[in-house]
Amino acid sequence: MTDDNGGRPGPQTPPGPLQKQDRPPDAPPVQLTKQPPAAVAEGDLRASDADRDRVAEILREALAEGRLDPEEHAERIDTVYRSKTMGELEPVLRDLPAPAGSRPQPEPGGPAQGSGAPVPDQNLVAVFSASVRKGRWRVPARINAFAFFGSVEIDLTEAVFPQQQVQINATSIFGSVDIRVPENVTLRSNGSGVLGSFEVKTNDAEDADAPQVLVNGLAVLGSVDARPKRGAWIRDLRDRLREGRRELREGHLEAHAHLLEEHRERHAYLRKERRDMHEQLRSARRAHRDRFRG
């Protein structure tokens, strides 16, 4: 009796190749090269602080031109500073005209924020709330303050100024923005009020190297107020001013002593001239008297 084991090796059949139907299917070839990552769409790129600031500036101009009402402006500003990508910023400007180059563009390869990097711009937003920045802090080159039925307080009296020029963009709609600076800081303004108050008490620092704060913005049924805080001084500038006053006082004393010495010399010279003149007059009278007697 012959046993049939289907061609498989067994005790009565010598080992041989497997049958065709029993072979496993061919596996797909293994890819040894790494596929490049898919390119990120422009709308998915992360937005920077500079991109948000440019959009906020366009919205501020649209509000001033009457293209947006205060409520729409407040809603869009809130959307701008909550946006994370460029695609979230684009709908905010879709129905607004913008100058060429003012639309937000991604900034490739921005500088790394290190110890020597400039201080990033700071945004203070108060919508039905309050936002306060004070104490010891490094002032950036630009501060954006927006108040909508809220209040923003910016106190620079104890701040550190890494740069000389500081620009504050203040927008107040049914709210208030209060700014306080030291007395020895130059304060300038370039803003206006629409049924509101935009009041900046300009100040000129005695030191030419003192920080300069420029307040720009708009007040719509709100208020923007900026003024020096009485008794608040930047310490290093105060020391320099004291040294300057001391040198000026010493210079005045030296000049006064020099003028006094010149006055004494002039007075002595005039007295000598007067004595010489009197002596000449006496000599002339004596000569005349001698001739008359002779």
Side-chain angles (χ1 to χ4, degrees):
M1 182 174 179
T2 303
D3 295 335
D4 186 7
N5 55 5
R8 291 187 294 275
Q12 297 181 3
T13 304
L18 297 175
Q19 298 296 328
K20 183 176 181 180
Q21 62 271 18
D22 294 334
R23 292 181 179 178
D26 295 338
V30 178
Q31 297 291 338
L32 299 180
T33 59
K34 186 177 180 180
Q35 297 294 333
V40 180
E42 181 177 350
D44 296 333
L45 293 177
R46 304 288 290 187
S48 66
D49 290 338
D51 296 329
R52 299 185 188 92
D53 293 341
R54 283 194 292 269
V55 175
E57 182 66 21
I58 295 174
L59 293 178
R60 189 178 70 84
E61 294 178 359
L63 175 64
E65 294 172 357
R67 301 182 187 275
L68 295 176
D69 58 34
E71 185 176 356
E72 291 174 335
H73 180 266
E75 293 176 356
R76 298 196 185 196
I77 283 289
D78 185 65
T79 302
V80 166
Y81 288 115
R82 294 178 184 273
S83 299
K84 300 297 183 181
T85 64
M86 304 296 294
E88 296 175 357
L89 288 176
E90 187 62 29
V92 179
L93 302 177
R94 185 167 295 166
D95 57 348
L96 294 176
S102 60
R103 295 285 184 180
Q105 298 294 333
E107 296 182 351
Q113 295 294 334
S115 58
V119 183
D121 297 345
Q122 185 156 9
N123 304 313
L124 300 175
V125 180
V127 179
F128 292 94
S129 61
S131 180
V132 180
R133 194 67 173 94
K134 62 181 180 179
R136 193 71 172 176
W137 59 297
R138 298 181 68 210
V139 181
R142 182 167 54 181
I143 301 174
N144 301 306
F146 175 75
F148 180 71
F149 283 99
S151 64
V152 175
E153 180 183 352
I154 303 175
D155 192 343
L156 305 178
T157 55
E158 299 180 10
V160 178
F161 292 84
Q163 63 281 323
Q164 186 180 18
Q165 301 287 340
V166 176
Q167 179 177 338
I168 300 178
N169 300 320
T171 302
S172 174
I173 303 175
F174 294 99
S176 64
V177 178
D178 295 326
I179 304 169
R180 295 296 178 265
V181 302
E183 286 187 329
N184 53 344
V185 166
T186 299
L187 182 61
R188 293 283 183 270
S189 68
N190 183 17
S192 58
V194 179
L195 299 178
S197 171
F198 191 95
E199 183 178 356
V200 176
K201 186 177 180 181
T202 59
N203 183 57
D204 291 324
E206 298 181 8
D207 193 337
D209 297 331
Q212 300 178 6
V213 179
L214 175 62
V215 180
N216 298 328
L218 179 69
V220 180
L221 294 172
S223 66
V224 174
D225 183 82
R227 63 184 63 248
K229 186 174 181 179
R230 186 180 299 275
W233 288 63
I234 299 179
R235 184 175 302 173
D236 56 345
L237 293 180
R238 180 179 58 190
D239 295 340
R240 275 190 286 172
L241 288 175
R242 287 179 177 176
E243 185 65 25
R245 291 194 185 97
R246 187 181 301 110
E247 293 178 356
L248 184 62
R249 189 162 52 246
E250 293 176 355
H252 284 168
L253 292 176
E254 292 178 359
H256 179 71
H258 183 68
L259 290 176
L260 184 60
E261 184 65 24
E262 288 184 351
H263 178 72
R264 289 174 179 174
E265 293 178 357
R266 180 66 177 175
H267 188 65
Y269 174 78
L270 291 177
R271 283 188 299 179
K272 184 177 179 300
E273 288 287 330
R274 196 179 302 113
R275 286 196 301 267
D276 294 343
M277 185 180 297
H278 289 169
E279 185 63 29
Q280 291 177 3
L281 289 176
R282 285 196 295 268
S283 299
R285 283 198 296 268
R286 283 196 300 267
H288 180 72
R289 188 174 59 248
D290 293 343
R291 284 198 303 270
F292 180 78
R293 290 178 179 177

